[in-house]
């Protein structure tokens, strides 16, 4: 068991390279199990969620191994198992994509519902509804979602709520269905486009990804090939916010600036300077920061996965900021940790009211989920004195070389074995 220790106050400066998008990669890796051929997937971040998924795929009979840094070779020709038990999938939410992929390939899937929950109810009703529209029967028994179809037939699928997971899952199953599927009110996140591009590169026929209507013409089979995952929008946003938080000057490289527009807009409102280049963004900031209001929304709105990091920076803005969480029911658990560091925040329903304070002060804190963990790191970088962060298994799920990258930018940060009793309180991260 380890902890991150930060001596706050260093202004971040220099350049940082952003890794491949974790939330794209987890979907693409599962999509590759529909392919009876070799797939080479480049720019895959070596984070624990990916390692867990690779293990799941091997347990199902597929091959998945890193052949060099960030290059994954998969061959699922011999994959034959259609059941993924709770023991296998409980550690990772993205394992729900197994439903769509196994259903697409074998017309049958039995996948345990991912356990645990970090920020409210995480239903899969829309995923199941989508499969039923394609002609599958679904039921949930003994903790397993059983999904089976004689044949999958293209259909119109209306998403009652904009859901990244349900959109991807239906896209996977429909890629190998008979005829045309039209997903209405589809999610538009960059990783939806990335998964569609991957599938198209392997022979699928998907149009409209990135808009709210996606049309998928089913094909007989998919073939192997090489594909490179897009840069991680959320990791990039995290570094942009860390740069601003520390009054730094950082060039965030290997990004798609278009994906970062909502973050740049909010940083500019706070008083930061943003310069956009072809594949990088420079963030320069000086306090005082202006208080602002932020509402999380599906893409192209402000991402919920940057809400904790953004709110953390606002704890030292001048005045009152209101941060409204519109995607998840309960994504403010981490605020108790920020309060330990002297932040002044009140939560009322879906809104957090943040009264800016002159400074945060270092303290032992817990990462309560992946992005909350990143927020604690930002808080530690901004704070006076020493911050110790526990429950690093959450951070490890989605940030590749986080500590090393921050060190390169001049942060006084280290990761070390935890020698204190607090160790005993560390929780097991279940779901992201
Ligand atoms: C994805 O989760 C991401 N995970 C999450 O990122 C992210 O927070 C979320 O999208 C929203 O952007 C991955 O990509 C692996 P949703 P997902 O289905 O797909 C409701 C991170 O930090 N809903 O878009 O599970 C749901 O309750 C993680 O990297 C239904 O009502 O999210 C929520 O309110 C955490 N019924 C909303 O939709 C359903 O069947 C959006 O959820 C499905 C979802």
């Amino acid at each position: 068991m380890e902890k991150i220790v930060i001596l706050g106050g260093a202004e971040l400066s220099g350049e940082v390279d952003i890794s491949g998008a974790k939330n794209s990669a987890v979907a693409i890796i599962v999509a590759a199990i529909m392919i009876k051929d070799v797939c080479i997937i480049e720019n895959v971040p070596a984070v624990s969620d990916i390692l867990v998924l690779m293990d799941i795929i091997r347990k199902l009979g597929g091959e998945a191994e890193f052949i060099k840094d960030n290059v994954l070779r998969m061959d699922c020709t011999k994959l034959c198992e259609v059941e993924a038990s709770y023991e296998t999938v409980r550690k990772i939410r993205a394992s729900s994509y197994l439903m769509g992929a196994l259903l697409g390939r074998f017309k049958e899937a039995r996948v345990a519902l991912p356990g645990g929950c970090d920020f409210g109810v995480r239903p899969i009703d829309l995923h199941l509804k989508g499969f039923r529209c394609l002609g599958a029967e679904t039921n949930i028994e003994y903790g397993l979602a059983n999904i089976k179809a004689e044949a999958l037939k293209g259909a119109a699928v209306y998403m009652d709520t904009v859901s990244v997971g349900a959109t991807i899952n239906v896209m996977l199953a429909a890629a190998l269905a008979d005829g045309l599927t039209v997903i209405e009110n589809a999610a538009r996140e960059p990783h939806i486009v990335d998964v569609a591009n991957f599938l198209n590169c392997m022979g699928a026929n998907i149009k409209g990804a990135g808009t709210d209507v996606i049309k998928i013409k089913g094909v007989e089979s998919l073939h192997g090939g090489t594909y490179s995952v897009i840069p991680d929008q959320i990791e990039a946003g995290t570094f942009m916010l860390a740069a601003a938080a520390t009054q730094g000057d950082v060039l965030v490289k290997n990004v798609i600036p278009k994906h970062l527009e909502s973050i740049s807009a909010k940083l500019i409102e706070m008083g930061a300077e943003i310069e956009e280049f072809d594949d990088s963004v420079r963030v320069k900031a000086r306090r005082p920061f202006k208080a602002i209001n932020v509402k999380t929304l599906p893409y192209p709105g402000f991402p919920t996965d940057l809400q904790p990091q953004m709110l953390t920076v606002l704890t030292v803005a001048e005045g009152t900021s209101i941060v409204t969480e519109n995607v998840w029911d309960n994504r403010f658990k981490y605020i108790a940790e920020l309060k330990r560091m002297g932040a002044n925040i009140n939560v009322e329903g879906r809104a957090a009211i943040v009264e800016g304070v002159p400074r945060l002060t270092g303290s032992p804190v817990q990462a309560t989920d992946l992005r909350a963990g990143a927020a604690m790191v930002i808080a530690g970088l901004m704070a006076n004195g020493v911050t110790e962060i526990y429950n690093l298994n959450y951070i490890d799920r989605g940030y590749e070389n986080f500590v090393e990258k921050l060190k390169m930018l001049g942060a006084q940060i280290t990761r070390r074995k935890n020698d204190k009793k607090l160790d005993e309180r560390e929780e097991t991260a279940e779901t992201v």
Side-chain angles (χ1 to χ4, degrees):
M1 303 248 189
E2 292 171 299
K3 62 184 175 183
I4 287 176
V5 183
I6 302 172
L7 176 61
E11 295 175 8
L12 298 188
S13 73
E15 301 182 355
V16 62
D17 270 311
I18 296 305
S19 300
K22 186 266 283 181
N23 285 346
S24 272
V26 290
I28 287 172
I29 289 172
V30 177
I33 72 174
M34 300 201 295
I35 302 171
K36 291 184 208 162
D37 202 349
V38 175
C39 291
I40 305 293
I41 309 167
E42 299 170 342
N43 206 27
V44 176
V47 294
S48 70
D49 266 11
I50 300 287
L51 304 178
V52 169
L53 258 189
M54 288 165 63
D55 203 38
I56 292 176
I57 286 162
R58 286 192 288 258
K59 285 200 173 102
L60 294 175
E63 292 174 16
E65 56 169 342
F66 276 108
I67 48 175
K68 51 183 159 159
D69 283 354
N70 303 113
V71 180
L72 183 64
R73 180 188 182 277
M74 287 184 62
D75 184 352
C76 292
T77 311
K78 295 190 189 138
L79 188 139
C80 54
E81 185 57 66
V82 297
E83 179 167 323
S85 68
Y86 180 71
E87 222 3 83
T88 316
V89 305
R90 71 184 173 87
K91 288 192 184 148
I92 176 172
R93 174 79 190 176
S95 54
S96 62
Y97 294 140
L98 289 169
M99 293 188 251
L102 292 172
L103 181 66
R105 176 161 170 185
F106 299 106
K107 313 297 173 243
E108 184 175 5
R110 288 191 299 280
V111 180
L113 304 185
C117 207
D118 303 321
F119 27 76
V121 184
R122 298 187 73 173
I124 57 156
D125 56 310
L126 290 173
H127 304 236
L128 298 180
K129 173 186 155 179
F131 300 143
R132 283 195 298 272
C133 291
L134 299 181
E137 290 189 355
T138 67
N139 68 52
I140 294 177
E141 269 179 358
Y142 305 109
L144 281 186
N146 295 301
I147 308 152
K148 198 168 178 177
E150 286 300 318
L152 287 176
K153 276 192 80 96
V157 181
Y158 175 75
M159 296 288 171
D160 305 273
T161 304
V162 177
S163 161
V164 171
T167 303
I168 291 180
N169 241 336
V170 172
M171 210 159 70
L172 295 180
L176 292 175
D178 256 350
L180 181 69
T181 297
V182 180
I183 308 178
E184 307 250 17
N185 201 25
R188 292 180 281 166
E189 267 65 8
H191 41 298
I192 306 274
V193 182
D194 208 26
V195 177
N197 285 345
F198 166 77
L199 289 169
N200 283 343
C201 190
M202 307 305 164
N205 184 347
I206 303 175
K207 297 207 168 88
T211 74
D212 56 4
V213 181
I214 303 180
K215 295 185 176 163
I216 307 134
K217 225 174 180 178
V219 295
E220 289 254 305
S221 63
L222 301 168
H223 54 73
T226 300
Y227 188 80
S228 186
V229 175
I230 55 166
D232 197 310
Q233 176 207 23
I234 305 301
E235 189 200 5
T238 301
F239 275 98
M240 289 169 74
L241 288 162
T246 59
Q247 308 192 76
D249 180 354
V250 173
L251 186 69
V252 184
K253 286 169 48 180
N254 181 33
V255 299
I256 300 174
K258 173 102 190 117
H259 295 167
L260 304 171
E261 277 173 358
S262 61
I263 302 122
S264 297
K266 285 293 153 190
L267 280 169
I268 290 168
E269 248 182 87
M270 286 171 62
E273 274 176 55
I274 306 285
E275 239 182 308
E276 270 185 25
F277 305 95
D278 285 348
D279 62 357
S280 58
V281 172
R282 182 175 176 189
V283 180
K284 235 170 121 177
R286 278 271 143 231
R287 282 174 69 178
F289 301 140
K290 292 192 200 101
I292 58 166
N293 296 337
V294 180
K295 292 183 181 173
T296 67
L297 285 169
Y299 188 82
F302 191 89
T304 173
D305 292 346
L306 286 170
Q307 178 260 100
Q309 303 89 314
M310 181 82 225
L311 187 148
T312 299
V313 185
L314 292 174
T315 58
V316 297
E318 280 194 338
T320 308
S321 302
I322 300 178
V323 177
T324 311
E325 174 57 53
N326 289 311
V327 178
W328 296 110
D329 290 339
N330 179 15
R331 206 173 189 170
F332 287 135
K333 220 161 109 184
Y334 69 92
I335 283 179
E337 304 299 306
L338 282 182
K339 284 187 177 176
R340 268 185 228 274
M341 301 179 71
N344 182 354
I345 308 162
N346 283 304
V347 176
E348 288 178 16
R350 284 184 172 269
I353 296 126
V354 187
E355 300 288 349
V357 294
R359 77 192 68 79
L360 297 181
T361 49
S363 155
V365 289
Q366 306 273 335
T368 54
D369 67 56
L370 164 59
R371 308 304 171 185
M376 291 308 123
V377 171
I378 293 178
L381 294 170
M382 288 159 65
N384 278 12
V386 174
T387 297
E388 294 178 353
I389 302 162
Y390 298 88
N391 275 354
L392 304 189
N393 39 7
Y394 280 120
I395 298 176
D396 292 341
R397 290 181 159 237
Y399 288 94
E400 188 177 50
N401 302 330
F402 199 29
V403 167
E404 293 73 13
K405 287 182 183 183
L406 285 165
K407 237 185 222 170
M408 296 278 287
L409 293 173
Q412 303 223 33
I413 183 169
T414 144
R415 185 173 172 135
R416 64 169 83 120
K417 280 248 173 283
N418 180 27
D419 39 12
K420 287 195 189 160
K421 278 252 160 81
L422 249 172
D423 227 9
E424 289 157 20
R425 284 206 259 144
E426 291 207 16
E427 294 165 8
T428 311
E430 290 278 305
T431 339
V432 172

